[in-house]
């Protein structure tokens, strides 16, 4: 099977135009099949403020009322996604922008209103890899924003890390999948105050220990849970680090494996 | 060759949620390959007002400064396009949303600043039908908004009627193309005050006469010029009327032919 890279980038790159353009120029040159998944960054909150739409966050997750859903659809699927696609085209990567509604690629279900009502937030139910596979085999690079649909006409705000892992899982029947989570650190740190304390290997066993010892906590837990969920569902490799890990294999970062 | 319908809908449908949903339910049921092209409607101007972005129109065309380009990218490629895609999916039409940047499908060039500076407005240079043809042969319905790119990373605001005719021309090497312009009237009228005065056939010869006689004027001229440009470039059939012409062949509308 051909190897495919599924790369998720977060707010630290999306929010910095120079960093984003530089990353996209490098990403376009990556050999072989690839998929890009991007988060939303701070632009949605800035625009919400301009439009007097209240921003409500619970445990770091956005509460998506109908106005906010319209807003993120404009910002994520419109401005950010299309600017990324246009930049990739300028560097000769034939990109196509996607929400989960496009090609019916990602179907999700609206999260139950109990115990916390997150509004139009979607939890992924199914990935349909057929159209993606056709496009990838035609040298197209799909670019996903963090929006899915319920297959009944409703768009839903969906966590970008989850989208990346679910796409990787969905493509694992057709490709040998490598999932890369790029964020502001060079990897998972054993000491959050020391950027050089990168844990280079985490197994499901050592992950249990790191959690028990309180070394890994808070925001890193759902990210790592996503990673192990992917590995348990046929994703071949998962890596966490800065974007440089994609372009220089000697760059220190965190690799995850089952055991 | 298979027949494909390229359907352009305008503001009268986009601006009316009930009409839009009803149209999309019918459009999804249309048999055979199809492409939808949509204009922007009044939503962009409404949002511009909320954000205090001045709206400048010259001869009915929007002047697209950089703020306006961001705005229309959010509204056309984000909110409107993705809502249409999600609705079509709900009716089992496997749609994918496109700007011209996606799949490098439509390359345009920024319109010269002389004699009138329309800002980031693009005139179509090339349509690349390869990826569209692959998708259409996989039963996907492409849904285009009125944005293209210059292949150097710049998105450009582009007339939706032109996009529809250029896509129809680009697909004519692979399909027998039928282009449908849907608008608020039932066809081209010989008397603008009488909605029943539909001219059912216009040839390039009768068009010259209708222009000379002042029967067809103003906004209809670029629309009809687009139609004849398409017919001269291998588009098989061109029709102008209300959306009902798509679903009821007995519905009166205007058909165009070369001579």
């Amino acid at each position: 099977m051909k190897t495919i890279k599924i790369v998720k980038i977060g707010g630290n790159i999306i929010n910095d135009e120079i960093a984003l353009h530089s990353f996209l120029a490098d990403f376009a040159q990556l050999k072989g099949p690839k998929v890009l998944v991007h988060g939303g960054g701070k632009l949605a909150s800035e625009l919400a403020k301009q439009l007097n739409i209240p921003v409500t966050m619970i445990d770091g997750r956005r509460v998506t009322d109908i106005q906010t859903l319209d807003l993120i659809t404009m910002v994520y699927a419109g401005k950010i996604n299309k600017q990324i696609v246009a930049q990739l085209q300028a560097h000769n990567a034939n990109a196509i922008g996607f929400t989960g509604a496009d090609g019916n690629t990602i179907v999700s279900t609206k999260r139950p209103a109990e115990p916390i009502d997150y509004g139009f937030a979607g939890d992924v139910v199914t990935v349909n890899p057929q159209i993606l596979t056709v496009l990838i085999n035609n040298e197209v690079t799909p670019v996903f924003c963090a929006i899915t649909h319920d297959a009944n006409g409703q768009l839903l705000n969906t966590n970008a890390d989850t989208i990346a892992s679910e796409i990787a899982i969905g493509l694992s029947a057709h490709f040998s999948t490598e999932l890369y989570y790029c964020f502001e650190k060079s990897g998972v740190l054993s000491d959050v105050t020391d950027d050089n304390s990168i844990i280079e290997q985490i197994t499901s066993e050592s992950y249990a220990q790191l959690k028990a010892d309180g070394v890994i906590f808070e925001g890193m837990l759902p990210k790592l849970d996503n990673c192990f969920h992917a590995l348990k569902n046929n994703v071949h490799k998962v890596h966490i680090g800065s974007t440089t890990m994609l372009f220089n294999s000697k760059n220190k970062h965190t690799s995850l494996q089952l055991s």
Side-chain angles (χ1 to χ4, degrees), chain A:
Chain A
M1 285 202 287
K2 268 192 207 170
T3 296
I4 189 167
K5 291 181 168 71
I6 297 95
V7 177
K8 190 258 170 173
I9 55 171
N12 65 312
I13 301 163
I14 301 290
N15 292 337
D16 178 342
E17 197 174 337
I18 292 167
L20 178 62
H21 284 199
S22 164
F23 166 76
L24 293 172
D26 290 337
F27 178 78
Q29 307 308 316
L30 267 188
K31 297 277 178 237
K34 51 191 182 282
V35 175
L36 185 62
V37 180
H38 62 85
K42 66 185 179 187
L43 185 62
S45 297
E46 285 173 1
L47 191 62
K49 199 173 172 186
Q50 278 185 276
L51 292 168
N52 294 315
I53 298 172
V55 174
T56 311
M57 307 286 280
I58 302 176
D59 296 340
R61 292 194 178 227
R62 190 184 294 274
V63 176
T64 312
D65 61 11
I66 191 70
Q67 280 185 302
T68 304
L69 181 69
D70 277 356
L71 180 82
I72 66 161
T73 305
M74 294 196 294
V75 172
Y76 299 176
K79 183 170 170 175
I80 296 174
N81 190 266
K82 296 313 174 189
Q83 286 185 346
I84 289 174
V85 167
Q87 283 295 318
L88 287 175
Q89 293 290 356
H91 295 290
N92 297 311
N94 195 7
I96 296 183
F98 277 85
T99 66
D102 298 280
N104 194 28
T105 42
I106 311 177
V107 180
S108 61
T109 185
K110 189 169 181 286
R111 191 172 302 157
E114 298 292 333
I116 300 168
D117 187 356
Y118 284 104
F120 293 97
D123 294 313
V124 175
V125 177
T126 318
V127 171
N128 294 312
Q130 296 84 352
I131 291 296
L132 289 178
T133 303
V134 166
L135 287 171
I136 291 161
N137 287 335
N138 278 276
E139 297 184 15
V140 167
T141 297
V143 177
F144 274 85
C145 66
I147 294 172
T148 60
H149 79 138
D150 72 353
N152 291 309
Q154 182 63 57
L155 296 167
L156 293 165
N157 187 10
T158 302
N159 180 268
D161 284 356
T162 308
I163 285 181
S165 62
E166 294 292 343
I167 290 172
I169 293 167
L171 289 172
S172 290
H174 305 272
F175 298 92
S176 173
T177 45
E178 297 182 357
L179 177 56
Y180 293 84
Y181 283 110
C182 303
F183 75 147
E184 66 279 10
K185 305 281 184 187
S186 297
V188 181
L189 304 179
S190 59
D191 174 0
V192 286
T193 64
D194 178 5
D195 279 352
N196 293 315
S197 67
I198 300 158
I199 309 172
E200 292 190 56
Q201 293 281 345
I202 301 179
T203 65
S204 37
E205 278 171 27
S206 72
Y207 179 43
Q209 192 61 49
L210 287 163
K211 275 198 287 193
D213 295 346
V215 175
I216 298 175
F217 56 96
E218 287 181 355
M220 282 310 291
L221 293 178
K223 202 175 266 293
L224 285 167
D225 286 343
N226 259 328
C227 295
F228 283 107
H229 174 68
L231 287 169
K232 282 172 194 153
N233 288 278
N234 305 316
V235 173
H236 193 60
K237 293 181 183 175
V238 182
H239 303 277
I240 299 180
S242 70
T243 54
T244 49
M245 69 178 160
L246 285 162
F247 313 117
N248 181 350
S249 59
K250 290 183 188 163
N251 211 278
K252 267 197 187 180
H253 65 274
T254 301
S255 296
L256 296 103
Q257 55 193 79
L258 283 184
S259 58

